[in-house]
């Protein structure tokens, strides 16, 4: 087949304009695809002379056979060839070797095809007749462009990996922080219990009861966190109540009761200064209020009492009735449930009591047993 154009050997020794490019770039692998033997040999000799590793073949089909085994940095291919032309080779290369740069060698009559190929991923084109100097510049420029693209991609990947790694570290740190907060609150709740002679395990038990009931009411995960904090720390204000009053075996006098009734407000003042406990602080402030307005400190009624505190009130009633107290022996869960039904609408929110009744008594008993077992294990360790 007669060749359409012949190369002009070093027609233009020094390019008059364009970016300064290092024409000697040893180490890169180039594949020359050209059906005209003479042109192919001239190109290969020139590129090898510039320090490139260079293979060659006579058409696109032969090139496809070479691609899987050889990682070429660049393919310099004629556009019109028998078997498989340059455009098809470009498409296949992009599919299987997307990091290989492709330069098309074309005649003026195929120029529009070559320009169109640029929009489909070709790095550049060389118009016949060409000078070998021109080929050197275009090849070096394409390899530099490819290097920058790969570097940029590596940088992006590195950046993404870095962001993913930092995000993971941040999540882990946050999780650790939350676990630490949780352990601290649990320890504080247990410490508060130990001051109160008659409330062994009360803070943990009433917290688990409250959480179970809150789930039944449909509380969100965020609300459950607040509810857990508030329940664990509901009596933190008792820090402000003297020990002898807290542990007094006899009934409290009216003045002593007045002192005792300050504990929700003291608790609120302590917790409201801690940003992540501000919602829990409102629950603590309301935890001794009653549905009919007969509670303290503010005598709030109905929905004026925050929902978390109304849920807590049912759980607290259950726990107080089913554990031994100085002036009251523990009753069965069955009897406690009867009493809760009786005070629905007066001391307790009837809607919350309705939710409480949906939960089988065995679940409450299981929670109580688990807390008892935990407390026993804890005593054995300490
Ligand atoms: Fe209390």
């Amino acid at each position: 087949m007669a060749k359409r154009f012949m190369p002009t050997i070093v027609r233009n020794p020094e390019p008059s304009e364009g970016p300064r490019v290092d024409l000697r770039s040893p180490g890169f692998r180039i594949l020359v695809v050209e059906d005209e033997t003479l042109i192919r040999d001239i190109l290969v000799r020139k590129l090898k002379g510039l320090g490139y590793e260079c293979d060659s073949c006579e058409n696109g089909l032969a090139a496809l056979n070479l691609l899987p085994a050889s990682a070429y940095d660049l393919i310099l291919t004629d556009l019109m060839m028998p078997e498989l032309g340059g455009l098809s080779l470009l498409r296949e290369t992009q599919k299987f070797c997307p990091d290989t740069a492709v330069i098309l060698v074309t005649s003026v009559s195929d120029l529009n095809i070559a320009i169109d190929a640029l929009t489909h991923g070709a790095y550049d084109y060389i118009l016949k007749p060409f000078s070998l100097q021109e080929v050197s510049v275009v090849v070096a420029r394409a390899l530099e462009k490819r290097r920058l693209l790969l570097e940029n991609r590596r940088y992006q990947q590195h950046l993404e990996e870095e962001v993913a790694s930092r995000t993971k570290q941040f999540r882990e740190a946050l999780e650790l922080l939350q676990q630490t907060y949780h352990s601290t609150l649990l320890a504080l709740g247990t410490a508060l219990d130990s001051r109160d002679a008659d409330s062994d395990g009360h803070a943990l038990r009433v917290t688990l009861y409250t959480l179970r009931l809150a789930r039944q009411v449909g509380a969100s995960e965020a609300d459950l966190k607040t509810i857990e904090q508030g329940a664990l720390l509901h009596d933190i204000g008792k820090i402000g109540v003297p020990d002898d009053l807290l542990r007094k075996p006899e009934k409290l006098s009216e003045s002593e009761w007045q002192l005792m009734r300050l504990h929700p407000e003291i608790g609120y003042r302590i917790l409201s200064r801690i940003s992540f406990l501000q919602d829990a602080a409102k629950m603590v402030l309301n935890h001794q209020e009653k549905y009919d307005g007969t509670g303290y400190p503010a005598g709030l009624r109905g929905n004026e009492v925050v929902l978390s505190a109304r849920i807590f009130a049912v759980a607290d009633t259950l726990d107080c009735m089913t554990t031994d107290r100085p002036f009251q022996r523990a009753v069965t869960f069955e009897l406690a449930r009867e009493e809760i039904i009786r005070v629905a609408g007066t001391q307790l929110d009837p809607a919350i009591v309705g939710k409480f009744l949906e939960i089988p008594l065995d679940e409450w008993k299981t929670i109580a047993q688990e807390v008892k077992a935990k407390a026993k294990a804890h005593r054995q360790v300490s």
Side-chain angles (χ1 to χ4, degrees):
M1 182 178 165
K3 191 60 199 171
R4 299 171 297 280
F5 292 95
M6 287 292 288
T8 311
I9 310 298
V10 194
R11 189 185 53 183
N12 199 2
E14 289 296 330
S16 56
E17 53 184 343
R20 293 174 69 83
V21 188
D22 180 8
L23 300 185
R24 301 193 69 85
S25 304
F28 286 112
R29 291 176 57 78
I30 298 178
L31 176 64
V32 174
V33 189
E34 169 62 64
D35 57 330
E36 196 63 27
T37 311
L38 179 61
I39 300 175
R40 191 166 69 233
D41 290 347
I42 289 170
L43 284 171
V44 168
R45 206 176 311 129
K46 175 66 183 173
L47 292 171
K48 280 187 173 173
L50 289 170
Y52 298 114
E53 288 180 36
C54 202
D55 292 333
S56 65
C57 60
E58 68 281 7
N59 60 47
L61 204 58
L64 287 184
N65 288 329
L66 290 171
L67 287 187
S70 314
Y72 291 109
D73 300 296
L74 184 140
I75 296 174
L76 184 64
T77 177
D78 192 14
L79 188 63
M80 306 304 257
M81 291 178 294
E83 304 281 356
L84 192 80
L87 275 185
S88 301
L89 178 60
L90 169 66
R91 276 195 292 273
E92 293 302 306
T93 304
Q94 285 181 328
K95 220 182 287 172
F96 300 110
C97 312
D99 291 339
T100 301
V102 176
I103 296 173
L104 294 163
V105 182
T106 182
S107 65
V108 174
S109 61
D110 302 323
L111 185 57
N112 285 339
I113 301 175
I115 291 171
D116 191 44
L118 289 181
T119 62
H120 292 94
Y123 269 54
D124 212 337
Y125 66 86
I126 295 171
L127 206 56
K128 294 174 182 175
F130 51 76
S131 74
L132 287 177
Q133 182 68 7
E134 188 187 347
V135 170
S136 309
V137 171
V138 172
V139 164
R141 198 167 55 203
L143 286 169
E144 176 62 7
K145 182 180 168 191
R146 174 181 173 275
R147 185 187 69 76
L148 291 172
L149 284 174
L150 292 181
E151 206 169 85
N152 187 44
R153 193 203 301 159
R154 271 196 296 273
Y155 175 72
Q156 291 288 340
Q157 276 171 353
H158 172 73
L159 205 62
E160 281 166 21
E161 283 165 14
E162 191 69 13
V163 168
S165 161
R166 292 292 168 91
T167 306
K168 185 167 171 275
Q169 283 174 9
F170 179 69
R171 275 210 194 100
E172 284 169 357
L174 200 63
E175 211 166 283
L176 187 67
L177 193 65
Q178 280 170 349
Q179 279 170 9
T180 309
Y181 277 149
H182 185 258
S183 308
T184 307
L185 295 183
L186 201 60
L188 198 53
T190 310
L192 291 169
D193 265 1
S194 68
R195 274 194 78 215
D196 218 333
D198 59 308
S199 61
D200 187 32
H202 167 66
L204 181 57
R205 211 166 35 242
V206 82
T207 299
L208 295 177
Y209 287 163
T210 308
L211 283 174
R212 176 64 191 90
L213 186 51
R215 282 197 183 92
Q216 197 70 17
V217 171
S220 67
E221 281 305 311
D223 287 341
L224 287 173
K225 203 165 277 182
T226 300
I227 287 168
E228 184 182 28
Q229 293 162 346
L232 271 172
L233 302 177
H234 68 277
D235 272 346
I236 192 169
K238 284 186 178 172
I239 284 174
V241 177
D243 274 0
D244 54 344
L245 200 67
L246 216 53
R247 293 168 176 263
K248 189 175 175 182
E250 302 89 30
K251 284 204 168 186
L252 301 182
S253 67
E254 186 48 39
S255 60
E256 287 169 334
W257 258 118
Q258 278 178 6
L259 206 56
M260 183 69 99
R261 281 183 180 138
L262 292 175
H263 81 271
E265 287 166 303
I266 297 170
Y268 177 76
R269 282 203 296 275
I270 294 169
L271 299 190
S272 59
R273 289 177 194 153
I274 303 167
S275 62
F276 80 100
L277 292 175
Q278 281 182 353
D279 287 335
K282 289 174 199 152
M283 178 176 166
V284 169
L285 180 64
N286 285 182
H287 84 275
Q288 294 286 2
E289 300 288 359
K290 288 185 169 45
Y291 190 72
D292 59 3
T294 58
Y296 62 89
L300 302 177
R301 58 176 68 228
N303 292 352
E304 290 171 351
V305 181
V306 291
L307 177 63
S308 52
R310 280 179 275 143
I311 297 170
F312 172 84
V314 176
D316 194 38
T317 303
L318 178 70
D319 190 51
C320 289
M321 293 196 69
T322 52
T323 49
D324 284 333
R325 303 272 151 161
F327 308 107
Q328 173 211 301
R329 295 288 296 164
V331 301
T332 63
F333 279 79
E334 286 74 7
L335 276 177
R337 179 172 60 182
E338 293 309 311
E339 179 61 12
I340 285 171
I341 294 169
R342 193 184 69 78
V343 296
T346 52
Q347 291 183 30
L348 301 174
D349 182 339
I352 308 292
V353 170
K355 289 289 172 186
F356 166 78
L357 296 175
E358 290 173 6
I359 302 168
L361 277 185
D362 281 350
E363 281 200 41
W364 305 112
K365 291 177 188 174
T366 304
I367 293 171
Q369 281 161 3
E370 283 170 0
V371 173
K372 197 174 179 181
K374 259 187 205 165
K376 191 179 171 190
H378 186 258
R379 273 196 297 273
Q380 280 169 350
V381 170
S382 56

